[in-house]
Amino acid sequence: MNPRYRLVPAALAVWAVALGGLLWNWPIAVLTGVIACLVGALAIHNDWCARSCALALVVAAPIAALSIGFRVHQSAVHPVRSAATNSEAVVLRAELSTRPRGMRTEGFAAKPGGVDAVVVHADVHRLLVAGRTHEQGGQVVLVAPATGWRDLLPGQQITARGVLAPARRGELTVAVLRVRGPPQDVGPAPVWQRAAETLRSGLREASTTLDPEPAGLLPALVVGDTSELSPRVVEEFRTAGLAHVLAVSGANLAILCGAVLLLLRAFRVGPRGCAVGAALALVGFVILAGPEPSVLRAAVMGAVALLALVLGRERSALPALATSVIVLVLYDPELGADPGFALSVVATAALVLLAPRWAASLRERGVPIGLAEVLAVPVAASLATAPLVVGISGRISLVAVVANMVVAPVVAPATVLGVLAAVVAPLHGGAARLLVELAGPEARWLITVGRRASEVPHASVRWPGGWWGGVLLAVVLLVVHGLFKARRTRALLAAALLGGVLVLVPTSVVTPGWPPVGWSAVACDVGQGDAVVLATAEPGRAVLVDTGPDPGPVTSCLRRLGVRRIPLLVLSHLHADHIGGLTAVLADRSVGAVAVGPSHEPNWAWEEVRRQTRAADVELVALTAGQRLELPGLVLEVLGPRGRAVPDEDDNTAINDSSLVLRAHTEAGRVLLTGDIELEGQADLLGGHVDVTAEVLKVPHHGSRFSVPEFLAQVKPRIALVSVGEGNRYGHPNGAVLDALTGRGALVLRTDRDGDTAVLGGETGPRVVRRKK
């Protein structure tokens, strides 16, 4: 056996022990360790492999069985677990072990989107439950309000009150505590944690010299701080296969330590001195980024690699990886079931085992040195991790390899400049801002690549998720690799792939069939919210009514429709699920004016709309009942609201009933856009004898139960469009409302099932084309 592989069986055995204990129970963990130890003993006796390999397995397996089995057993019998099952109220004293991580929620109704809760891990010191005090330690997860909690640091001791809930399977956590109120009796954070937070806050402050999106990206790229990162950027990076850039990993440490090594070697420092310098940089970065699991696993890997450097064995990367797996899983068995840990290990193994061979093969075929590595590294990492990514997400990114190759040259300078800015910020703010300005083009390039890659048609495709989906893709990749290696089948496979590309690309990219020719109105699939596009007679120009809850879906819908200019953007009312994409639309499209109704509630939303339109230098106008707006090929009538009192900020129903009601005259017929009007709003229109008849109805309030049957009968729609989010928790759309519509002959379409839905003119009336999800 190659000496490089001698620790791999031991690492796999330790990992298997952890998985057995976490996914099943402690006896399975012990049994797995015993079996691995017996296999190692048999290997020694029968000389199946190198003695050092078998000996490592014999030593590591029983240690893992005892250590991990004991910790899984302790967690399983912890007294807090029974209290969590009964949802008992408790008071606990604990020490935070991670930084609070924000939980972003979509806005809906009067509640704005954003971070209103945090998740933080803690080690229990004392627990008061049902009048009894327990001082048995254990790990808990706190779900707490963002206010008062988001600025805490690891190492601080707190007292919290809340209700226990059972922990998730596959963790050593004994319970989840849903915290009520702010932390009490907060202790001081360690000096080094306070110093690290000073550096991180300095980087955040210096980054404000950039535009908002690059300013949020740079701290995420450098230290994994995603607190100011735009949800749109996160979604685009996920689609483009660049999500790993937003998390601290071994790549960050490799870049930083590599820069330090290059600098030291330029001054002719020896291997030991280089290792010491890189070790100091490694420790400093761990302190800066915080003791998160991804940081710790990268640090252990880096420390083992530096030890190999000191010993003069610079090419022992695979033993270093195996050693890091053993050390990390024994230290924290939960990593055994952590998808991020698995992705990190598999990607590193691919870079060690596959990338050098593929790069050498490319160089033999005439590819220049440097370019061969640029091609081989992302391909190896992407293909090796693809089964895991598919198992987790159920999707395959078809642009990930290219996107990673394109961004690779800018990640290293942006990371180094960001770290320097963080270090310099407490000493000289101007110097830190200058360094951030130098990193700005790199951050903007990353955002541009992620955005353009995510906009590619079919940038990611569905694939069966879970274990079986991952195994299936792994088998497919192995079969394809085997066919490529065989000379007889290589040409046939290449021809089949080329034929598939020639067939699929023209049909899905060049002539995708969407948007349909002659579309008049499109209900965009934006999740639990509204966004309707009305075509004008001028190509590329359309009116947009509402922008959905998030920026990504509405901008994607407009891009697919080819809409570049929006002469009028109407906000039916100011609830979060109707204005959430406004910023992105104003930034990406030429907008003539933004129109609102008489209601300016809730106040936070009104101030946000005013701020965004001012920043974009777009006029903000008011619409009132009775107005008629004419555009080429499109006429808009404002039918409501009619004389309603200004609603209170907290009265969601009154705000809904104050929605603008528009009737659009299009080539496909009349389209009635009702916002979120409910019973009173619909009754006002009927009582005012307003003509609401239309061939197409955008069903009020996502198809909620608050629709008047008489109103639906008065509209007499032939087509009913329901803009609704898949699996929403509000029970939308209501079955009785759908039955009332279909009972009157309307064709009901739902964006949660049909995706973007276009209405076109037809010889006998309007017809529809669905862009299936």
Side-chain angles (χ1 to χ4, degrees):
M1 174 182 285
N2 190 318
R4 293 198 304 167
Y5 295 92
R6 64 185 178 274
L7 292 178
V8 172
L12 293 176
V14 172
W15 201 341
V17 170
L19 277 174
L22 293 171
L23 299 183
W24 286 279
N25 49 44
W26 68 268
I28 297 296
V30 173
L31 179 61
T32 304
V34 170
I35 292 174
C37 182
L38 291 175
V39 170
L42 289 173
I44 294 175
H45 183 267
N46 295 309
D47 199 22
W48 289 343
C49 61
R51 187 177 182 85
S52 59
C53 173
L55 188 60
L57 184 60
V58 168
V59 172
I63 292 176
L66 292 174
S67 173
I68 297 174
F70 175 75
R71 294 177 65 176
V72 172
H73 176 264
Q74 289 293 98
S75 173
V77 300
H78 199 285
V80 174
R81 283 192 178 271
S82 60
T85 303
N86 297 326
S87 301
E88 296 191 29
V90 300
V91 179
L92 67 77
R93 184 71 177 169
E95 180 178 316
L96 305 186
S97 56
T98 64
R99 293 208 310 269
R101 178 171 52 86
M103 298 173 61
R104 182 173 293 276
T105 58
E106 284 188 356
F108 188 78
K111 180 182 177 182
V115 176
D116 57 4
V118 296
V119 175
V120 58
H121 291 252
D123 296 319
V124 177
H125 287 184
R126 186 173 62 255
L127 186 76
L128 178 63
V129 53
R132 299 191 303 273
T133 300
H134 299 274
E135 296 193 0
Q136 184 176 348
Q139 300 176 28
V140 293
V141 173
L142 308 181
V143 180
T147 303
W149 286 88
R150 68 185 310 167
D151 295 327
L152 296 179
L153 297 172
Q156 287 188 277
Q157 293 190 15
I158 53 91
T159 299
R161 299 173 181 271
V163 176
L164 291 172
R168 292 188 305 180
R169 184 187 176 197
E171 296 181 351
L172 295 179
T173 303
V174 296
V176 174
L177 181 68
R178 303 188 185 281
V179 178
R180 298 170 177 169
Q184 300 174 351
D185 303 325
V186 179
V191 173
W192 62 275
Q193 284 286 1
R194 295 200 299 270
E197 180 57 28
T198 299
L199 297 180
R200 290 191 295 266
S201 62
L203 176 60
R204 288 194 297 268
E205 177 62 28
S207 296
T208 57
T209 189
L210 303 175
D211 292 334
E213 287 187 337
L217 175 63
L218 189 59
L221 175 68
V222 175
V223 294
D225 183 354
T226 59
S227 58
E228 302 298 326
L229 193 58
S230 162
R232 179 186 182 188
V233 172
V234 174
E235 182 59 34
E236 289 170 345
F237 273 45
R238 185 179 295 116
T239 302
L242 297 174
H244 62 90
V245 173
L246 307 178
V248 175
S249 66
N252 300 73
L253 282 169
I255 291 168
L256 183 61
C257 293
V260 171
L261 288 173
L262 287 174
L263 181 63
L264 293 175
R265 284 178 174 173
F267 287 97
R268 300 183 182 279
V269 177
R272 293 178 183 271
C274 287
V276 171
L280 292 175
L282 185 149
V283 173
F285 185 80
V286 171
I287 293 174
L288 174 64
E292 305 295 326
S294 62
V295 181
L296 291 177
R297 66 176 178 249
V300 171
M301 175 65 186
V304 175
L306 288 173
L307 180 60
L309 178 63
V310 172
L311 297 175
R313 304 173 64 180
E314 299 185 19
R315 298 189 178 184
S316 56
L318 189 59
L321 175 62
T323 302
S324 67
V325 170
I326 294 171
V327 172
L328 284 168
V329 175
L330 287 176
Y331 171 74
D332 183 5
E334 284 190 349
L335 289 175
D338 181 8
F341 178 70
L343 287 169
S344 178
V345 172
V346 172
T348 304
L351 299 183
V352 171
L353 298 174
L354 301 180
R357 296 180 184 179
W358 293 0
S361 179
L362 290 173
R363 289 195 298 269
E364 291 174 359
R365 287 167 170 77
V367 178
I369 297 175
L371 179 58
E373 284 73 17
V374 169
L375 294 173
V377 167
V379 171
S382 296
L383 291 180
T385 57
L388 287 173
V389 173
V390 162
I392 296 168
S393 65
R395 302 194 70 88
I396 301 176
S397 175
L398 302 182
V399 298
V401 173
V402 175
N404 278 277
M405 285 192 292
V406 173
V407 303
V410 304
V411 172
T415 301
V416 173
L417 289 169
V419 171
L420 290 175
V423 173
V424 170
L427 305 176
H428 195 286
R433 286 190 290 274
L434 175 61
L435 290 166
V436 166
E437 289 283 2
L438 293 174
E442 292 90 331
R444 285 189 285 272
W445 176 249
L446 280 163
I447 292 172
T448 300
V449 173
R451 185 154 296 159
R452 295 295 173 260
S454 68
E455 291 175 352
V456 172
H458 307 293
S460 66
V461 295
R462 292 182 182 273
W463 186 274
W467 288 100
W468 292 112
V471 171
L472 176 61
L473 182 59
V475 170
V476 170
L477 292 175
L478 289 173
V479 169
V480 171
H481 180 260
L483 292 175
F484 261 116
K485 290 189 69 176
R487 291 185 178 181
R488 294 183 178 180
T489 57
R490 185 182 302 166
L492 180 62
L493 182 61
L497 291 176
L498 179 61
V501 170
L502 292 176
V503 171
L504 293 176
V505 169
T507 57
S508 63
V509 178
V510 180
T511 56
W514 186 269
V517 177
W519 65 272
S520 294
V522 172
C524 296
D525 177 19
V526 294
Q528 185 65 16
D530 274 6
V532 177
V533 188
L534 302 170
T536 69
E538 299 177 2
R541 295 184 77 221
V543 170
L544 176 63
V545 181
D546 292 325
T547 64
D550 287 310
V554 66
T555 54
S556 295
C557 181
L558 293 172
R559 173 184 53 77
R560 290 190 293 265
L561 294 173
V563 174
R564 299 179 299 277
R565 293 176 295 164
I566 301 174
L568 182 65
L569 192 162
V570 181
L571 299 175
S572 65
H573 61 301
L574 302 185
H575 275 165
D577 52 323
H578 293 253
I579 68 170
L582 178 62
T583 304
V585 175
L586 292 175
D588 292 349
R589 302 292 188 277
S590 173
V591 179
V594 174
V596 297
S599 171
H600 295 167
E601 299 295 341
N603 185 65
W604 68 265
W606 171 241
E607 293 300 327
E608 185 68 14
V609 170
R610 292 179 61 192
R611 183 189 66 79
Q612 292 178 14
T613 51
R614 279 198 306 267
D617 195 23
V618 173
E619 184 179 5
L620 186 61
V621 300
L623 296 181
T624 56
Q627 284 185 280
R628 181 182 175 91
L629 309 175
E630 297 188 8
L631 296 92
L634 177 67
V635 176
L636 295 176
E637 295 180 89
V638 184
L639 305 183
R642 307 181 66 85
R644 294 189 58 81
V646 176
D648 294 331
E649 180 172 8
D650 297 329
D651 192 341
N652 285 329
T653 298
I655 294 174
N656 286 338
D657 282 325
S658 297
S659 297
L660 284 170
V661 179
L662 308 176
R663 182 165 62 177
H665 295 261
T666 73
E667 294 294 327
R670 295 165 295 182
V671 181
L672 186 65
L673 305 172
T674 57
D676 278 358
I677 59 171
E678 299 185 7
L679 302 178
E680 289 190 17
Q682 296 167 31
D684 286 347
L685 292 173
L686 294 176
H689 304 289
V690 178
D691 180 14
V692 292
T693 55
E695 286 72 32
V696 181
L697 169 67
K698 200 289 294 182
V699 180
H701 199 189
H702 320 294
S704 79
R705 59 190 177 92
F706 300 112
S707 281
V708 179
E710 292 79 9
F711 177 78
L712 301 178
Q714 188 67 37
V715 178
K716 303 174 185 176
R718 299 178 64 176
I719 296 172
L721 303 175
V722 184
S723 185
V724 64
E726 185 176 7
N728 69 85
R729 64 179 186 273
Y730 309 101
H732 298 164
N734 178 261
V737 171
L738 299 184
D739 291 342
L741 288 165
T742 55
R744 292 180 172 87
L747 172 64
V748 177
L749 298 111
R750 303 167 46 168
T751 56
D752 61 336
R753 296 180 179 176
D754 301 302
D756 298 345
T757 305
V759 179
L760 301 80
E763 295 182 359
T764 59
R767 58 191 181 90
V768 297
V769 175
R770 307 163 181 149
R771 182 183 180 273
K772 283 291 187 178
K773 301 186 71 166

